[in-house]
Amino acid sequence: MDTLAELRAGRLAGARRIDLSCGLTEFPREIFDLADSLETLNLSGNALDALPGDLGRLHRLRVLFCSDNRFAQLPESIGQCQALEMVGFKANRIRTVPAAALQLPALRWLILTDNQIETLPEALGQCAAMQKLMLAGNRLRALPESLAACSRLELLRISANDFEALPAWLLALPRLSWLAGAGNPFDMRAEQAAIAAQSVPRVDWRELKLGPKLGEGASGAIHQAALGPASRPVAVKLFKGAVTSDGWPHSEMAASIAAGAHPTLIAAQGRIDGHPDGTQGLVMALVDPSFRTLAGPPSLASCTRDVYADDAQWTSGVALRIARDIASAMQHLHARGVLHGDLYAHNILWNAQGGGLLGDFGAAWMTGALDAPQAQALQRLEMRAFGCLLEELLERCSDAPPQAMVALKDRCLQADVSARPSFAEALALLQGELSP
């Protein structure tokens, strides 16, 4: 029996989570029978355009997903659910966000990606617990000034909007670490220049023989492939066309090209021409299979922090090598005017002998249109992301970590953005620790 039938038959008493994706056009009132237990409600992938006015009866509700529906307005009634920590309304038709919908003191994670929102209410700044705010793919030209008071905000996605400039206060938020801003008018010229540049060779699609899929993300799929008459092993990323949580795929391609080559960066080696469907793509180095992902992405519970395997552990020497390699890659990117936007362990491959490799440019963007103080402030934001990575590496050391690395972590995590070190300084320190 399907979930909706079980719900209507009263067989889900005590359920803490309900997932319903079955073409719903109206909210099933039977859900209220679970008010004393229900904590997660997933109504994504339906045809809903409204929620009941008495939604607050779900007094234990902590997570609400309503993505891929037909909402034109963020329902005011979600503001009644005072226990809500996560709200997701991705890929709807939302134009209006009422202040009443945001009266949520416990809200940590708000997803409004891929809608038609032009303005947000000042009430957003009252969500003092906010850590993660996903706004890519809308029509925003500004953010509410009140958001400057959200001192816990760590991850912000404002890519693929209509910003002519970045809000000045954004660059001073004490915990902001992962910021994506590509695909806005202020960044467009730099993107177009990167894509038009001949900095990476063009590869004819007919020279590639596509192999098995290695992985797939929001922006595209990565395949193993053979290139040219010699069948050189490479990896190929084929982009999707739709906006993602991080922004436009063409912004990712522009940043990948602008990044250039570096030994500890999984960067573009060629740009694909002549795909029969017009699909855009990049050729990249095929990473040795001995490398594996350092961690998994954040969970609902961890919100902004990656999730490591229970048995994840390494020596302090390995931790130092990974940190050094990632600092080296980031220094290279910053020197070329590229911000990674998503410096996380789940975007790092590693092995005990080879150190670390940084990949995934889905949230990357360029600082070419910004003045030097702005660019430097944005680079210092990414130093906090590096501090989080150092903290996670240090926590899992099997022996005593070097105090210099501990001290560097503390400097990267300090609230004063301007006082954080640069990646050049961090790299010099880490290299010194590794010197014989």
Side-chain angles (χ1 to χ4, degrees):
M1 189 179 291
D2 64 46
T3 304
L4 183 59
E6 288 188 328
L7 176 69
R8 287 177 170 163
R11 294 193 178 98
L12 299 180
R16 296 175 61 188
R17 177 176 181 130
I18 294 289
D19 295 89
L20 289 171
S21 180
C22 49
L24 293 172
T25 57
E26 293 185 358
F27 183 91
R29 299 290 299 181
E30 294 87 351
I31 289 174
F32 287 119
D33 296 338
L34 310 176
D36 289 334
S37 63
L38 191 63
E39 296 181 1
T40 299
L41 177 58
N42 181 9
L43 298 175
S44 296
N46 287 293
L48 297 168
D49 59 11
L51 294 178
D54 56 346
L55 193 69
R57 290 170 58 190
L58 300 176
H59 60 97
R60 296 178 64 89
L61 194 64
R62 295 174 55 243
V63 178
L64 175 64
F65 292 123
C66 291
S67 297
D68 296 292
N69 276 284
R70 298 178 181 175
F71 292 92
Q73 174 176 299
L74 191 66
E76 291 191 8
S77 59
I78 68 174
Q80 302 170 12
C81 300
Q82 294 292 284
L84 272 175
E85 295 181 19
M86 182 176 185
V87 172
F89 278 76
K90 179 182 178 181
N92 278 272
R93 305 167 181 177
I94 296 173
R95 292 176 177 269
T96 307
V97 179
L102 298 175
Q103 307 301 312
L104 298 169
L107 187 64
R108 301 170 64 202
W109 190 342
L110 177 60
I111 304 170
L112 296 174
T113 307
D114 192 13
N115 281 288
Q116 301 166 31
I117 302 165
E118 295 185 3
T119 60
L120 291 166
E122 291 293 329
L124 184 62
Q126 297 171 19
C127 300
M130 185 81 74
Q131 293 175 251
K132 203 166 186 174
L133 181 56
M134 317 285 281
L135 301 172
N138 280 286
R139 301 172 182 174
L140 294 166
R141 296 184 179 182
L143 293 172
E145 292 283 338
S146 62
L147 201 58
C150 290
S151 59
R152 297 183 188 179
L153 187 63
E154 293 181 274
L155 186 147
L156 176 63
R157 299 292 188 242
I158 55 171
S159 307
N161 275 283
D162 291 327
F163 288 89
E164 296 284 351
L166 287 172
W169 53 262
L170 194 63
L171 307 181
L173 286 176
R175 295 177 65 85
L176 188 60
S177 313
W178 301 280
L179 175 64
N184 282 289
F186 75 82
D187 194 53
M188 204 66 70
R189 187 174 296 176
E191 281 189 24
Q192 291 170 347
I195 289 176
Q198 302 298 316
S199 52
V200 297
R202 293 180 178 265
V203 176
D204 192 300
W205 174 252
R206 292 169 297 182
E207 295 183 51
L208 290 162
K209 183 178 180 181
L210 219 59
K213 186 184 291 186
L214 300 174
E216 186 165 1
S219 63
I222 299 177
H223 294 259
Q224 187 171 334
L227 174 60
S231 295
R232 177 165 65 91
V234 294
V236 166
K237 180 159 189 177
L238 297 176
F239 290 96
K240 302 172 186 175
V243 69
T244 73
S245 301
D246 294 329
W248 292 111
H250 64 73
S251 298
E252 176 180 350
M253 190 168 78
S256 299
I257 292 170
H262 187 271
T264 61
L265 202 61
I266 307 171
Q269 295 185 343
R271 179 181 171 185
I272 296 170
D273 274 346
H275 190 284
D277 299 325
T279 302
Q280 294 183 313
L282 294 172
V283 175
M284 300 176 291
L286 185 64
V287 178
D288 188 304
S290 66
F291 280 82
R292 57 192 185 276
T293 307
L294 189 57
S299 66
L300 299 186
S302 70
C303 190
T304 58
R305 298 301 287 267
D306 274 341
V307 178
Y308 287 75
D310 291 340
D311 61 351
Q313 194 177 66
W314 35 72
T315 66
S316 59
V318 170
L320 268 170
R321 286 197 295 275
I322 294 172
R324 174 204 58 192
D325 290 348
I326 301 310
S328 181
M330 290 299 298
Q331 183 200 22
H332 169 83
L333 290 178
H334 284 182
R336 294 180 68 90
V338 177
L339 299 163
H340 189 275
D342 208 19
L343 177 52
Y344 263 115
H346 68 260
N347 291 325
I348 294 170
L349 299 177
W350 77 288
N351 73 18
Q353 289 72 42
L357 299 171
L358 178 64
D360 196 334
F361 287 82
W365 50 304
M366 286 168 279
T367 60
L370 306 176
D371 61 35
Q374 283 182 314
Q376 187 177 71
L378 289 165
Q379 291 170 358
R380 295 301 196 269
L381 291 184
E382 299 210 295
M383 288 308 303
R384 189 178 187 280
F386 187 62
C388 292
L389 174 64
L390 290 177
E391 184 174 63
E392 292 160 4
L393 289 171
L394 289 165
E395 285 174 352
R396 292 162 180 84
C397 282
S398 57
D399 57 340
Q403 286 306 302
M405 191 171 170
V406 175
L408 175 61
K409 177 261 297 182
D410 292 339
R411 291 178 62 200
C412 292
L413 292 176
Q414 62 184 305
D416 183 353
V417 178
S418 63
R420 294 172 192 155
S422 66
F423 273 106
E425 187 178 348
L427 178 59
L429 189 150
L430 294 166
Q431 285 176 328
E433 286 295 309
L434 284 165
S435 297

